[in-house]
Amino acid sequence: MTDPVKSPSVEEVLEDKGQYKYGFTTDIESDTLAKGLNEDVIRFISKKKNEPEFMLDFRLKAYRKWLTMEEPKWPNVHYPPIDFQDISYYSAPKPKKVLESIDEVDPELLRTFEKLGIPLDEQKKLANVAVDAVFDSVSVATTHKKKLMEVGIIFCPISEALVEYPELIEEYLGTVVPVGDNYYSALNSAVFTDGSFVYIPPDTISPMELSTYFRINTEETGQFERTLIICAENSYVSYLEGCTAPQFDTNQLHAAVVELVTMENAEIKYSTVQNWYSGDPETGKGGIYNFVTKRGKCLGDNSKISWTQVETGSAITWKYPSCILLGDNTQGEFYSVALTNGLMQADTGTKMIHIGKNTRSSIISKGISADRSSNSYRGQVKIGPNASNARNYTQCDSMLVGDKCSAHTFPYIETANSSVQLEHEASTSKISEDQLFYFESRGISRENAIQAVINGFCKEVFKQLPMEFAVEAQKLLALKLEDSVG
Amino acid sequence: MSLLEIKDLHAGFEGTEIVKGVSLTINAGEVHAVMGPNGSGKSTLSKVLAGHPSYEVTQGSIIYKGKDLLELDPEQRALAGIFMGFQYPVEIPGVNNAEFLRLAYNAQLVSKGEEELDPLDFDELLDEKMKLVGMDPKYKDRFLNDGFSGGEKKKNEILQMAVLNPSLAVLDETDSGLDIDALKVVSEGVNKWINKDNALILITHYQRLLNYIQPDFVHVFGQGKILKSGDKNLALELEKQGYDWVVTETAN
C-alpha cells in the first residue's frame, strides 16, 4: 500500500483562510465541514485535497453552472425539496490517519463489506479482487495497488490521482459527463471529494477485478464521489462497486458521477450492487437519495462498455447508466435488477446513444416492486444519422409483489437513420401466493421459494455478475422480499 | 395406528362451509378413491390436507401419524410425508424443473438430518424417476410447468411424487387432461410407487382411472359429506347410474 496524499489539516486550512466564517466540527472520529455550500467551501475542498489549479477552475465552473440550473422534475419520483445549504460537503474519518493495513479499517465496515460479498480483509486477498474503500467522502484503503502497478495499472483514490497523474485527469475528467450535464452532475463536479481512478494501459487485461466500496457514515453529510475509468487500446477491466449506509432518520444525498472511456478494442465491465439505506418501510422516514450520473463513452472503434446493476436500496433512485457509442462497431450493454419495497421510489434505466456505424446495444431490465413502492424503467435509445446498421435489443420485465406497488415503463426511441434494427420486449408478472404455496407443499421454505422465483426472474442479469457478487445479490433480494410476499 | 384419521371435519373457503362433517380413516397400504360431483367438497378436502392458507377448518380434527396435522404449516406437512398432486399445478417461469425437484428433495433430506444430494447424483435419480412416469427428459430443463400442456403438468406432478416418495399422496383429479396412453403410463408409475407402507387418496370424477389404479375403498361425496362408501364395485355402479343415484338413495 502506498501512502495516501498528504493534505493540510482542517486547522491549517482554517488558519490559511483566516476569515473563513464557516466552522468545522472536528472530533476524534471524523472531520466534518459545517453545512452549507458556497465558493469558499469549494476552495476549501480543493485546497484540502492539494489539487492542481485546473481542478479548482473545473469545480468553480461547475458550481457557477449549478447555480443557474434547476432540479430535474421529470422523474417519476416525489420528495420534499432538498435544502442544499443544510448538507455538509466534506467529512473524513480520522483526519490524515494513514492506514497501514486493511486491518485498521473499522471492523463494522469490514463486516458490511463481507455481507456484500466483497473481500476486503487480507486473507481474502487471494480472491483476486483489488479494493478501494471510500468512507464518507474519503478513500480509506486501496488494496493490491502494488501488484496492479507492476502491469502498469493505476488504481487509486481520485484525490491521489489528481496530484500524481493530473494530466490524465485533466484530459478526461468531464469529457463523458460535462460539468453542466445535469443538476446533480454539476453539483458533484463542484464538490466531489473522492472516488476511484483507474487507468488500464494499452494491451493489458487487468489481472483481477477492481472494486470500490462506498459507505456514507455521517449523518447530514452528502456523498459526492467521482469515478473515472480509462481503458486504453486492446485492454480489459472488470470493475465492481458496492454501497451501503447506516440507518438515519434524515435523508442523505448521494450524487455520484462515474465516467468511463474505452479506446479502440477496449472493454470495461462495470458492476454495481447498491444497498443504501432505503428509509423506514412504514413511514418512509430517512434513507438515501441516490441521484447518480453514470456514463461511458466508447471512444475507440470496436470497444465495449457493459453496465450491470443490482439496485436494492435507497429511498429514491434516479440513475441511468448510459453508453455513448461513438466509435464504429462499438457495443453497449445494460443489465439491471432494480428492487423497490417499503416506500422506495426508483426511476432508473439507461441511455444508448448510437453515433458510430454498426453500433450495437442491448438492454435487459428487471424491475421488482413490492409493498407500496414505485419502480419505473426509463430508457432512451437514440440513433444518430451516421449510425448505419445500428441495432438495439431492449427487454423490460416487471414483477409485482402484492397489490399496492406500481411498475412503470418509459421507453424513448429516436432514430435518424433508416437502416437500423430495434427490438423492444416487455412483460409484467407477479409472485403469487399460489406459487409460494406450491413450493411449500413440496417442503420448500417460503424463503427459498422466493429466492428461486426471483433468481429465475433475474437470471439474465445475475449471470453477468462475478460469481460471489451474484450469490450475495441473490441473497440480498430474497432477504428484502421475505416480508413483502403474502 | 392409522396413517390418517379425519374426524367430523368442517372446512370452507372465504366464510363458506364446503366440507360439512367428513370422517375418514386411512391406513398404510390402502388406496382410497374419492368421487362425487363438482362442488361436493372433494378438492376442499385435498386443500385442507395440504394446508392451503385460503381454506379454513372450522370444526373437527385431522390426526396424521399420531400428530395434529392442523398444527403443521404446509412446508412441515410436506416434510412429514404428505404429497398433494394439484388439479391445476401453477406455472413458475424462470424456475428450472430439475432445480425445483432437487430443492424439494434436498429439503426432505435436510429435515431428516441427512446430507444434500449434489446435482449430478440427483440427476441420475431424476432420470430413473422420469422413466418411471414416462416423461421426456427434455422437461428437466424446462421452467416449472411453464407452457406445459395439461397432460404434461399432471405427469410432472406424478414425477414429483415419485421423487419425493411420500407416505400419503393425495392426487386431485390427476386423470383429467390425460389422454388414454398418458393415463396408462401415469397409472403404472403410481402403481409402482404403491406399497404396504404408504397410502393414496385418489380424487376423481371418472371410474376410468380406477381401471388402472385399483382402489380398496371408494367414497362418494355429496353436499360436503361422504354419502356412501364401498369397495371398487361402488365406482362401477356409479359409472352406470350416475351420482344422482347415490344422492337419491341417501335421501331415502
Side-chain angles (χ1 to χ4, degrees), chain B residues 116-135:
Chain B
E116 292 192 5
L117 216 54
D118 68 47
L120 281 178
D121 290 337
F122 181 75
D123 203 49
E124 264 177 50
L125 178 125
L126 187 56
D127 282 339
E128 183 197 318
K129 300 293 181 186
M130 287 187 100
K131 239 178 251 165
L132 190 78
V133 298
M135 227 174 149

Side-chain angles (χ1 to χ4, degrees), chain B residues 3-108:
Chain B
L3 184 64
L4 183 76
E5 203 169 344
I6 303 172
K7 274 191 185 153
D8 190 31
L9 183 74
H10 291 252
F13 178 75
E14 288 174 353
T16 311
E17 192 177 76
I18 302 166
V19 170
K20 301 165 181 168
V22 165
S23 296
L24 183 63
T25 300
I26 290 171
N27 294 301
E30 293 177 352
V31 175
H32 290 246
V34 171
M35 305 183 74
N38 287 329
S40 59
K42 306 186 304 287
S43 282
T44 298
L45 176 67
S46 72
K47 295 273 174 40
V48 167
L49 286 173
H52 194 290
S54 305
Y55 290 79
E56 199 193 351
V57 173
T58 47
Q59 198 181 315
S61 67
I62 306 176
I63 303 298
Y64 170 75
K65 290 183 176 173
K67 277 187 222 152
D68 183 356
L69 185 73
L70 300 176
E71 288 292 306
L72 304 181
D73 62 34
E75 181 192 336
Q76 292 168 322
R77 293 179 197 204
L79 295 175
I82 291 184
F83 178 86
M84 165 82 187
F86 287 91
Q87 186 179 359
Y88 303 110
V90 292
E91 300 192 354
I92 307 186
V95 176
N96 178 283
N97 204 18
E99 274 170 36
F100 172 76
L101 278 161
R102 196 168 69 89
L103 261 185
Y105 188 79
N106 280 336
Q108 266 196 354

Side-chain angles (χ1 to χ4, degrees), chain A residues 200-446:
Chain A
I200 314 287
D203 308 309
T204 307
I205 307 293
S206 175
M208 63 186 77
E209 310 260 2
L210 305 187
S211 172
T212 297
Y213 168 79
F214 295 106
R215 177 153 177 93
I216 298 178
N217 202 55
T218 316
E219 198 168 357
E220 294 170 336
T221 306
Q223 179 147 337
F224 306 94
E225 80 269 353
R226 185 94 187 189
T227 299
L228 174 62
I229 302 178
I230 301 157
C231 198
E233 295 79 14
N234 307 314
S235 293
Y236 171 84
V237 66
S238 167
Y239 186 89
L240 318 172
E241 176 195 70
C243 326
T244 59
Q247 197 167 322
F248 286 125
D249 282 347
T250 45
N251 294 108
Q252 288 153 292
L253 178 62
H254 173 250
V257 173
V258 176
E259 294 178 283
L260 313 181
V261 181
T262 52
M263 309 303 176
E264 206 171 329
N265 290 320
E267 178 177 349
I268 298 176
K269 185 172 163 57
Y270 195 105
S271 313
T272 304
V273 172
Q274 184 265 110
N275 187 25
W276 297 119
Y277 178 55
S278 53
D280 186 279
E282 295 300 324
T283 61
K285 209 170 178 189
I288 305 290
Y289 290 165
N290 192 35
F291 300 155
V292 170
T293 306
K294 288 183 169 175
R295 197 173 301 158
K297 192 193 260 182
C298 288
L299 196 61
D301 292 349
N302 307 311
S303 65
K304 178 178 173 183
I305 288 175
S306 179
W307 298 101
T308 304
Q309 61 170 17
V310 177
E311 300 283 315
T312 68
S314 299
I316 300 175
T317 298
W318 177 93
K319 179 181 168 189
Y320 315 90
S322 305
C323 299
I324 301 169
L325 305 171
L326 197 63
D328 290 344
N329 311 311
T330 52
Q331 210 178 329
E333 291 175 341
F334 175 73
Y335 296 95
S336 170
V337 168
L339 175 140
T340 55
N341 65 352
L343 286 167
M344 284 164 66
Q345 306 173 65
D347 192 308
T348 183
T350 186
K351 284 191 280 186
M352 293 292 173
I353 314 293
H354 294 250
I355 298 169
K357 292 182 178 61
N358 303 314
T359 44
R360 280 171 296 159
S361 62
S362 53
I363 300 170
I364 309 284
S365 165
K366 306 281 180 175
I368 304 163
S369 352
D371 304 329
R372 286 180 288 159
S373 67
S374 159
N375 200 332
S376 303
Y377 164 80
R378 190 182 301 275
Q380 182 184 37
V381 177
K382 192 172 178 180
I383 316 271
N386 297 321
S388 46
N389 299 315
R391 278 186 292 165
N392 166 265
Y393 172 76
T394 299
Q395 185 189 333
C396 207
D397 299 320
S398 305
M399 181 176 269
L400 302 169
V401 181
D403 51 14
K404 292 187 180 67
C405 56
S406 63
H408 315 267
T409 304
F410 304 98
Y412 305 87
I413 297 172
E414 261 175 73
T415 177
N417 189 303
S418 57
S419 65
V420 303
Q421 196 182 325
L422 305 171
E423 289 173 76
H424 187 105
E425 287 180 29
S427 77
T428 304
S429 56
K430 241 182 138 155
I431 297 191
S432 68
E433 195 52 52
D434 277 343
Q435 285 181 331
L436 295 183
F437 177 63
Y438 194 79
F439 277 94
E440 287 176 295
S441 74
R442 300 298 181 249
I444 300 166
S445 69
R446 218 176 162 75

